[in-house]
Amino acid sequence: MAKHRGKGMASINYPIGMNLGGDPSQALVHSNPDGKFTVALSSIDLGQGMKQVTRQICAETLGVPVADVYVDTADSDTGPHCMGSFASRGTHRVGNAVIAAAKEARGVMMEAAAEELEVNPEDLETDGEGNIHVRGAPQRSITVSDVAVAAQFRQGKTISGRGIFLIPLSEVDPETGEMTPVSCFAHACLVAEVEVDDETGEVDVVEMNSAYELGRALNPKMVEQQLVGGAWMGMSHALWETTEPYYPDRDHGPEDFNQYLMPGPGDVVPHNIAVLERPAPDGPFGGKGPGEMCANPVLPAVVNAVFNAIGVRIDDLPITPEKVLRGRRAQGGARPGPQH
C-alpha cells in the first residue's frame, strides 16, 4: 500500500450575469449635508465585497475620497431595484449602475461649486481628496463639504443621482434561435495536485496553481482573498460536502458539523494565483469580478488529479474514501498515470 501523487487541470469560461429582461440593476447616490455620500442599493453583500467595490467605484466617479462614501444595501422594499446577488453579476451590473448614478450626482455637485466660485462647471476639476479646483488656478478652490452645505442651505439643490444599467437585448437568429445570453465572460485555468492513499482511500489536496482572467482587478487584495476562499469552497464540494443520500428526506441526515463534513482551516493548501487583467469594454473601469468561478474549476481539477494519481475515474461528487477504494478494487489496484 502506498500514497500516490497526481495532478489534474481544468479550465472554464464563465458567463457574467444573464440577459433576461436586460438583467437590470439600479443605484441611487446622494450627498449628506456634511459632504459625505451615500450609495443606496438593493444588491446584497454576501461577503464577496459588494459594498467595498461599489464604494470605490462611486468615489472614483465622484472624485472624492473613498472614506467619504457609505454604501447602504437596504432591502428590496426601500432600495432601488436589483435582479439580485447571483450569476456573478454584482461588480459588472451594479458597478455600472453606480457609475451612472454618481455621474449625475457629480454633475449637480459641480454646478453648485461653480455657482459658489462664479465660474463655469466645465472649468472645475476634483482632486480626489475632497476639494474642487478651478482648472489652471488651483488656489481658487472649495471643499466638497462646503459645496454640500451651500447646495442644501443656500442654493436649494439636491446633490443626488439615479443610475440603472441594462444589457442590450441579444439578436436572435430566426432560423436556429441562437443568441448571446451574456455580454462578457471571465476565464480561468487551475491545476490541482493531490495525494491519494490507496489503503484508506483518503485524498489530500497538496497544492493549487491557477490563472484567472477577470477583467480589471478593482481591489487586488479582495480579488486574491476571494479566489483563495472560493478554491477552499470548491475543494470542500469536491471532497467533503454532500446532502446525499438524505435529500430531500432529512430524517436521518447529519445533525451537526461532526456529521456533515467540511474542511477546516488546517485543510487550506498553498495556492499560487496569477491574475490576468483584460479590462472588459462594458465593465465598470474594466471590471468583471471573480464571482462563482472561484470555486468551479477546483472540482474537475481534483477529479482529474485523482485519476492521474491512481487511475480511478470518479464521476459522482464528493470523492469519498469509499468511492476511491471501490474504484481501486474494481480495477484491481492503483494504476497511476503519467507523472508531470
Side-chain angles (χ1 to χ4, degrees), residues 160-223:
S160 62
R162 304 152 296 172
I164 185 170
F165 180 72
L166 285 168
I167 293 296
L169 293 177
S170 170
E171 294 184 1
V172 180
D173 187 306
E175 299 295 329
T176 65
E178 182 180 355
M179 62 175 292
T180 302
V182 294
S183 65
C184 65
F185 289 81
H187 310 86
C189 180
L190 185 140
V191 176
E193 182 175 358
V194 304
E195 187 174 75
V196 183
D197 188 321
D198 65 7
E199 182 176 12
T200 66
E202 294 181 351
V203 178
D204 292 320
V205 179
V206 177
E207 181 178 281
M208 284 187 274
N209 293 276
S210 64
Y212 284 86
E213 186 283 301
L214 39 75
R216 187 178 180 189
L218 302 182
N219 188 312
K221 181 53 68 174
M222 283 177 55
V223 166

Side-chain angles (χ1 to χ4, degrees), residues 155-338:
Q155 300 176 16
K157 287 187 173 72
T158 301
I159 300 179
S160 62
R162 304 152 296 172
I164 185 170
F165 180 72
L166 285 168
I167 293 296
L169 293 177
S170 170
E171 294 184 1
V172 180
D173 187 306
E175 299 295 329
T176 65
E178 182 180 355
M179 62 175 292
T180 302
V182 294
S183 65
C184 65
F185 289 81
H187 310 86
C189 180
L190 185 140
V191 176
E193 182 175 358
V194 304
E195 187 174 75
V196 183
D197 188 321
D198 65 7
E199 182 176 12
T200 66
E202 294 181 351
V203 178
D204 292 320
V205 179
V206 177
E207 181 178 281
M208 284 187 274
N209 293 276
S210 64
Y212 284 86
E213 186 283 301
L214 39 75
R216 187 178 180 189
L218 302 182
N219 188 312
K221 181 53 68 174
M222 283 177 55
V223 166
E224 179 185 349
Q225 291 171 342
Q226 192 169 1
L227 292 174
V228 170
W232 183 86
M233 176 179 172
M235 190 173 68
S236 185
H237 286 307
L239 298 173
W240 282 278
E241 292 190 71
T242 181
T243 57
E244 299 293 347
Y246 311 104
Y247 183 81
D249 181 1
R250 306 295 297 168
D251 290 346
H252 304 289
E255 297 178 353
D256 55 34
F257 288 123
N258 289 320
Q259 298 173 353
Y260 183 87
L261 299 181
M262 295 176 64
D267 296 299
V268 176
V269 302
H271 188 177
N272 304 304
I273 301 170
V275 175
L276 310 176
E277 293 189 287
R278 303 290 187 272
D282 64 343
F285 300 106
K288 290 185 279 191
E292 294 157 277
M293 75 167 184
C294 298
N296 292 354
V298 180
L299 283 70
V302 170
V303 169
N304 290 336
V306 170
F307 178 73
N308 179 239
I310 61 171
V312 173
R313 174 64 70 186
I314 294 177
D315 56 10
D316 178 29
L317 296 178
I319 306 173
T320 62
E322 293 83 359
K323 294 174 185 176
V324 172
L325 293 177
R326 289 191 190 106
R328 182 186 64 79
R329 187 177 301 115
Q331 68 182 13
R335 297 178 183 176

